[in-house]
Amino acid sequence: MSSDFGAVSRLHELVSTAAQWCQEHGVRRYGAELDALAERITEIGEELHLVHEGLAGELAGRSERLAAAVSRSPGRPARTPAAAASPALRGTQALAPRTAETPPPAVTGPAHRRSAR
């Protein structure tokens, strides 16, 4: 944005040209105001350049830190939902998906015994 062909540079050129035109055509007051504005645009362009350099450096630093962290982290396989289940439920039919062919597990609790009598 603030490079030689950037928008700030073109704006500075436009305002400087207008200031020069005003001074050449006897409107010195506006020419002086436009010159001051052109100087401020130059300052803004320099500030934007510094901000751009600072952001580029910050992003490069973050990228390097992230790459270093990823390279140091041990490779771990992705966890499956079954692996995330509680130890009491692992390996039971409760985790197996049911289909029409899969009968429900047999109920053997005390309530079932009473109703079967």
Side-chain angles (χ1 to χ4, degrees):
M1 185 166 170
S2 60
S3 67
D4 290 340
F5 300 106
V8 174
S9 178
R10 285 183 265 160
L11 179 60
H12 177 266
E13 184 179 335
L14 174 74
V15 173
S16 292
T17 302
Q20 192 175 32
W21 184 92
C22 287
Q23 289 178 356
E24 289 173 359
H25 289 85
V27 194
R28 296 187 189 274
R29 179 177 149 226
Y30 293 119
E33 288 179 23
L34 288 170
D35 270 337
L37 183 58
E39 286 179 35
R40 182 62 186 132
I41 291 171
T42 299
E43 292 169 3
I44 290 171
E46 290 170 358
E47 290 173 15
L48 286 173
H49 181 72
L50 293 174
V51 167
H52 173 74
E53 285 181 352
L55 285 176
E58 176 68 23
L59 291 175
R62 286 184 182 194
S63 178
E64 289 171 7
R65 288 190 299 271
L66 178 61
V70 167
S71 69
R72 286 191 306 260
S73 67
R76 292 164 61 177
R79 291 181 62 170
T80 61
S86 69
L89 293 178
R90 282 191 203 139
T92 66
Q93 281 186 320
L95 296 177
R98 291 207 184 137
T99 62
E101 295 84 32
T102 308
V107 179
T108 58
H112 180 3
R113 286 186 199 141
R114 272 186 251 140
S115 64
R117 290 184 187 167

